[in-house]
Amino acid sequence: MNYGHPLEFGTLITPGSAFSGEAVELAVLSERYGYDIVTVREDPDQSELLDPWTLMSWIAGRTERIRVGSSVMSMLAQTPAVAARAAASLDLLSGGRFTLALGSGTAWNARGTHDPAFLGTETAAVEEVIEIIRNMWSSEQGNLRYSGDYYRVEGTPRGPEPAHEVPIWLAGLDQSMLRLIGRESDGWLSSAADMIPGQFAAANQAIDEAARQAGRDPREIRRLVNISGDFRSSRTGFLVGPSNQWIEELLPFVVDEGVGTFILETDDAATMRQFAEEVIPGLRAAADLALPGDLTGGKIRRASVRARRAPGIAYEAVPASIADHVIEPGDVGYGTVRSTYLRGGAPGLVIQPRHTAGVVDAIGFARKHPDLPLGIRSGGHGISGRSTNRDGIVIDLSRLNTIEVLDVEARIVRIEPGARWMDVAAALSEHGWALSSGDYGGVGVGGLATTGGIGFLGREHGLTIDHLRAVEIVLADGTVARASDTENEHLFWAVRGAGANFGIVTAFEFEVDEVAEVGWAQFVMDAGDTADFLQKWGATVEAAPRDTTSFLILGAPRPDEPAIATVMTMVDSADPEVIVQRLQPFADISLLHQQSVQLTTYRAVISNAAGQSNQGQGEPVSRSGFLEHITPEFARSASRLIHSGATHFFQVRSVGGAVSDVDPDATAYAHRSANFSVVAFASRQERLNAHWAELYPHFDGLYLSFETDQDPARIEDAFPPRTLARLRRLKAEYDPNNLFNDNFNVVDTEIWSAS
């Protein structure tokens, strides 16, 4: 009998006294000797022993790789909800290295005390414990309410979610516990010392039958056994003798009983070392000979997770190279990847490649599902919200986040798409460099660096894409290509402005700027006469030297109160006199309610993201447009929109300057003559569109990342005719089957649908 689990080995150590660090040192040795997991014994009747939760936390902090687990935790002084939060916290702090083992002695009650009424019904109580713990770890919204025969949870906030799917193992030999193991647990923990001949096989059979009756695959349940012995004793007996005897006596547990994990019970470092150096490699080799090809190690998800799979996705066909890097509905962590910054989603599969080869395999898998939505995500912040979907596939690049300097003298850096701009700014700041990159540090590099990049240094240093010197990109057919001004030049042209149509960029090479300290001003200003304010601000921007870039935010005014504007302005100078000179015209526009002027760094300004960003719900609604000048006519139309209440966030970013120095035909971002980029957010698309229609005649183009309107006419707004025609020719060449179609698809929909 074999369940396909690759062999793993662990140690079981005794907590020791409060005055001894031996337990922690044994755990550190376990990691050094190559064990996979270290477990901590709990004995609530021995008060002189260390608290296991505290000890496990300390061990996790002293180690880096080895997993840390409880060994039949009873936690008599805690409720299940508290235990769930403690376990999830330890898993997060350890980087996903925690395992929880429970046993039939786990008899709490709602008051957190041992309840004699549980005697004889411990299995039912443990089942409720598991249900509560898993519900606490769920990504579902809202508080947990639970009413069982033994426990009640009345409105406890869920979370935090663990870093990974924490395995819950159960220990026990009675039939009721074995059936529970089959129905609910991720592993059966037993002890070789407690077994009588034939008992292991009978227990396995009971577990397997219960699993099948519950609709589970018995391979979901890892078999683990605690062992102990003596290498040097003169006695004879089971696991008493030399290492080769141990190998011979343990091999049947693997071959006949399906054991996947052996946990060595010892507090003796010499025994621990000899087992690691002699028994483990010998047993692995013997198992490989006895079960060739059987120990595949494929991940078997719980039936409850498989039940939530989306239709049309061949989950079992995910390539082995990325199988451990996918998240399904029902998996722990799904709640952090299902949505974007603004848009709620429910994809059927999220793939998180760790390298370019993984991206190739992810694209290959997506190619086999041409009828499903495909989202490409770097950081998840994109305003358009197109990097998530419902029941489709998302390729999430957040784990490709390396930032490295390739050439110090030439200021060439290589950045992967999942890096966040605040992390990029931090890395560049160490060299006195910066790269203009939007206005929010939580944005991922990939989306912005293939669209444009309108940032606080734009008028002085241009768009982000203007600093791009080369990309590594995976095309729709899986080809990995390099594109630059001298290699695949047409592709490089297209990537800079419409990149999401052509492939997934896995690395960007930028030439960055030397940027010392900067002036940074934030003004809160009276915009009661909104049209006049907009016009004056626009004129001030256009008159400012190009070392000055300014952004403006307005929202619907409160009843009976004037409109308030927030003006954010960066001056690329470390000279206080120059900074004041540049800012004074802005301060003179209207009454200042608040002001903040700092001499700081670009890094400090862009390090403005905090917390989990991908918690969006609903559908984002926004419209975008490029503007040559803020004319009186445009200002009046914008004022009417703002005061209508149809938008809660109206932003104008200054462009122009160095952005306009680039030939419009040099990149797919062609609207180089614009001095301003305008975006409005709303809660209702129809209402916003109705007001936007008045502004629309003033615009020439739009910025892809800020537009949510799905009308195909928006593609023609985004790209001038000559640019769009060239993009469509290249699309037919590089993505003839239109795999990348859910991110401002440049394909002519009428021609495509007819074909």
Side-chain angles (χ1 to χ4, degrees), residues 374 376 386 446-447 450-451 473-477 491 493-505 668 704 715 718-719 724 726-728 730-748:
L374 173 62
I376 312 301
R386 287 174 168 81
T450 54
T451 305
I473 184 171
V474 183
L475 303 175
D477 64 358
L491 180 61
W493 171 87
V495 164
R496 290 172 293 169
N501 275 277
F502 297 93
I504 297 178
V505 176
L704 297 183
I715 300 299
F719 302 105
L724 183 57
R726 184 178 178 185
L727 285 171
R728 285 175 168 166
L730 292 171
K731 179 73 169 177
E733 176 182 351
Y734 288 104
D735 186 14
N737 296 315
N738 201 21
L739 177 68
F740 303 109
N741 59 45
D742 195 26
N743 202 344
F744 278 96
N745 189 14
V746 298
V747 165
D748 188 320

Side-chain angles (χ1 to χ4, degrees), residues 107-109 111 114-122 125 149-150:
W108 302 284
N109 65 13
R111 296 179 298 279
H114 193 68
D115 192 338
F118 282 12
L119 295 177
T121 61
E122 291 95 337
D149 294 332
Y150 306 97

Side-chain angles (χ1 to χ4, degrees), residues 1 7 98 131 190 227 285 428 438 442 470 488 516 547 554 616 661-662:
M1 178 184 296
L7 276 177
F98 183 65
E131 190 172 357
S190 62
I227 59 173
L428 299 184
N488 297 300
D547 62 6
L554 279 157
D661 291 345
V662 178

Side-chain angles (χ1 to χ4, degrees), residues 340-355:
T340 66
Y341 181 72
L342 290 177
R343 183 184 181 189
L349 187 69
V350 178
I351 306 174
Q352 295 185 313
R354 267 54 172 183
H355 41 63

Side-chain angles (χ1 to χ4, degrees), residues 623-626 671 700-704 707 714-715 717-718 744:
R623 295 300 307 271
S624 167
F626 282 128
H671 296 286
D700 181 16
L702 61 80
Y703 188 49
L704 297 183
E707 179 68 52
R714 300 291 80 79
I715 300 299
D717 289 340
F744 278 96

